[in-house]
C-alpha cells in the first residue's frame, strides 16, 4: 500500500502536449495568506496557473494498476488568474513607490512565488498598477481605482456566465423568470451577487467589502460571515484534532456512577441475608 501517490483529474487540454511540464508549488492564498497548493503548467509557448481543489472523504483509497493508494483524496486543477495572487503583494509593497515585478514577488517564506512571473503577462499588470519606466527597468505602483474597475468588470462578466449555467441554480433562476417576468432586474442583481461571492474568495476581507460597495452592495455582511464561518470551521477542526491527540496519549478515568438498585433486587438481597452460599457446602 502506498501513500506517496496522488489522484488527479485533468482536462484533456492540460495533458494534450507530451512536452508539458507540471509542477505543484506552495503559494500564499490571496484571501487568507495561508499556504495553498497550486499547479504550474509550462510548455514551450506559454505557462499557466491552476489552483488545486481537493475533495477528501474518510476511509477512501484508490486502486492504481496493481497497487493500493491509501491517500483517497481527489485533486481537481482549475485555472486561476495569477493577478489575484499578485494583488496582495502589490498592496503591501507598492502603495507608496514603484517596484519591478521580480522584486514585488520576493517572499522568503514562499520562494515559489517568483514563479508567478512565468504565468503572468507583464502587460496585464497595468490592470492593477501604474507603470513607471527608467531605461530598461519597468516598475509598478499600485492603483486601487484601476484594481476596483478590473474586479467590477470581472464580476459583471462572471454574472453573465452564472445566468447561463446549467444545473439546479440555472433551473431555479429560470423558474423565477417564469414566475416573475417583470423582475429581470432582480435576477441580474442575484447573479451579480453570486459572482461577487465567487470573486471574494480570492480577495482579502477588506478588499471584498470595497468591491461589494463598488457593485452597489454596501455593507454586505455575507462576505464577512462567509469568511468567519471558514475560520470557525478551521478552528473547530484544529480543536478536534488536539482533543483527539490528548485522549490518545492521556486516557481520562471517569468516576463510576452509583448503580441504581431496584425494589425487587433489594427484596431478594434481604431474603438472602444470613443464608450461606451454596459453594460453602462443598468446602472441607
Amino acid at each position: 500500500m502506498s501513500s506517496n501517490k496522488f489522484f488527479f483529474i485533468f482536462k484533456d487540454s492540460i495533458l494534450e502536449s507530451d512536452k508539458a511540464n507540471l509542477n505543484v508549488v506552495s503559494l500564499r492564498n490571496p484571501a487568507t495568506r495561508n499556504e495553498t497548493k497550486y499547479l504550474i503548467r509550462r510548455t514551450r509557448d506559454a505557462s499557466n496557473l491552476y489552483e488545486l481543489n481537493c475533495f477528501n472523504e474518510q476511509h477512501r483509497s484508490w486502486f492504481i494498476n496493481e497497487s493500493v493508494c491509501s491517500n483517497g483524496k481527489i485533486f481537481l486543477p482549475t485555472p486561476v488568474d495569477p493577478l489575484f495572487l499578485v494583488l496582495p503583494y502589490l498592496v503591501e509593497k507598492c502603495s507608496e513607490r514603484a517596484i519591478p515585478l521580480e522584486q514585488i514577488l520576493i517572499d522568503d517564506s514562499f520562494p515559489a512565488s517568483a514563479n508567478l512571473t512565468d504565468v503572468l503577462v507583464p502587460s496585464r499588470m497595468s490592470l492593477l498598477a501604474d507603470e513607471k519606466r527608467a531605461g530598461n527597468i519597468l516598475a509598478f505602483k499600485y492603483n486601487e481605482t484601476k484594481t476596483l474597475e478590473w474586479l467590477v468588470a470581472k464580476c459583471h462578466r462572471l454574472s453573465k456566465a452564472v445566468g447561463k449555467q446549467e444545473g439546479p441554480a440555472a433551473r431555479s433562476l429560470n423558474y423565477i423568470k417564469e414566475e416573475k417576468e417583470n423582475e429581470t432586474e432582480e435576477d441580474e442583481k442575484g447573479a451579480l451577487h453570486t459572482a461577487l461571492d465567487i470573486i471574494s474568495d480570492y480577495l482579502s476581507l477588506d478588499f471584498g467589502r470595497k468591491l461589494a460597495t463598488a457593485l452597489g452592495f454596501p455593507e454586505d455582511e455575507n462576505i464577512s460571515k462567509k469568511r468567519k464561518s471558514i475560520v470557525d470551521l478551521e478552528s473547530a477542526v484544529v480543536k478536534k484534532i488536539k482533543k483527539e491527540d490528548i485522549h490518545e496519549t492521556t486516557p481520562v478515568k471517569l468516576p463510576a456512577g452509583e448503580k441504581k438498585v431496584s425494589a425487587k433486587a433489594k427484596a431478594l438481597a434481604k431474603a438472602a441475608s444470613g443464608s450461606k452460599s451454596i459453594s460453602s457446602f462443598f468446602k472441607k
Side-chain angles (χ1 to χ4, degrees):
M1 182 177 291
S2 174
S3 60
N4 296 325
K5 295 181 179 180
F6 300 92
F7 189 84
F8 285 78
I9 298 178
F10 291 104
K11 288 187 66 175
D12 293 338
S13 57
I14 298 179
L15 302 175
E16 63 185 4
S17 175
D18 295 335
K19 297 181 180 180
N21 185 16
L22 304 178
N23 291 320
V24 176
V25 296
S26 296
L27 302 173
R28 286 191 188 274
N29 185 291
T32 64
R33 309 304 288 148
N34 295 329
E35 179 182 359
T36 305
K37 297 296 183 181
Y38 293 86
L39 176 71
I40 295 180
R41 178 182 182 270
R42 292 184 176 90
T43 61
R44 183 178 300 177
D45 300 325
S47 298
N48 304 99
L49 181 68
Y50 299 83
E51 60 179 333
L52 290 180
N53 301 283
C54 178
F55 176 76
N56 186 21
E57 282 188 346
Q58 293 183 345
H59 314 301
R60 176 189 290 271
S61 299
W62 293 103
F63 290 97
I64 302 177
N65 295 327
E66 296 182 358
S67 63
V68 178
C69 177
S70 61
N71 186 345
K73 297 179 180 179
I74 303 175
F75 292 94
L76 180 65
T78 54
V80 61
D81 193 331
L83 285 179
F84 284 119
L85 280 73
V86 175
L87 178 57
Y89 290 106
L90 269 175
V91 176
E92 177 185 355
K93 300 180 179 181
C94 304
S95 294
E96 301 297 332
R97 57 175 182 163
I99 302 177
L101 182 59
E102 293 77 10
Q103 297 180 23
I104 294 173
L105 297 175
I106 293 177
D107 190 333
D108 295 335
S109 300
F110 293 87
S113 297
N115 293 321
L116 290 174
T117 57
D118 298 334
V119 298
L120 180 63
V121 180
S123 60
R124 296 194 69 230
M125 287 292 294
S126 61
L127 296 170
L128 310 179
D130 298 323
E131 296 183 1
K132 306 290 183 180
R133 290 186 179 272
N136 295 328
I137 299 176
L138 177 61
F140 301 95
K141 184 179 179 181
Y142 171 63
N143 187 317
E144 183 172 295
T145 302
K146 283 186 175 181
T147 302
L148 284 174
E149 289 176 353
W150 170 68
L151 289 171
V152 167
K154 210 172 188 66
C155 282
H156 281 291
R157 289 195 301 269
L158 181 57
S159 67
K160 293 179 181 179
V162 169
K164 296 178 181 178
Q165 70 177 346
E166 298 293 335
R171 287 195 294 269
S172 177
L173 187 60
N174 290 333
Y175 175 78
I176 294 174
K177 287 182 178 179
E178 291 174 3
E179 293 294 316
K180 304 177 181 180
E181 295 179 355
N182 297 327
E183 297 186 6
T184 55
E185 185 177 345
E186 289 296 323
D187 295 339
E188 293 175 357
K189 187 176 180 180
L192 184 59
H193 202 288
T194 300
L196 170 63
D197 289 341
I198 296 173
I199 297 295
S200 296
D201 286 342
Y202 300 92
L203 302 173
S204 66
L205 184 58
D206 181 60
F207 221 105
R209 288 170 176 164
K210 291 180 180 179
L211 177 59
T213 302
L215 288 170
F217 300 105
E219 300 180 3
D220 192 342
E221 296 181 355
N222 289 336
I223 297 174
S224 57
K225 287 181 180 179
K226 183 178 181 182
R227 191 67 51 82
K228 184 177 183 299
S229 65
I230 294 174
V231 173
D232 291 343
L233 178 60
E234 292 178 350
S235 177
V237 171
V238 171
K239 288 180 180 179
K240 181 179 179 181
I241 293 173
K242 289 183 178 179
K243 186 177 180 182
E244 290 176 350
D245 290 343
I246 293 173
H247 286 179
E248 288 175 1
T249 56
T250 311
V252 179
K253 293 184 178 181
L254 299 176
E258 295 183 0
K259 295 182 178 179
K260 293 184 179 180
V261 183
S262 63
K264 182 178 180 180
K266 287 181 180 179
L268 290 174
K270 185 176 181 180
S273 60
S275 60
K276 294 184 178 180
S277 171
I278 192 171
S279 61
S280 63
F281 294 99
F282 299 93
K283 292 181 179 179
K284 291 182 180 179

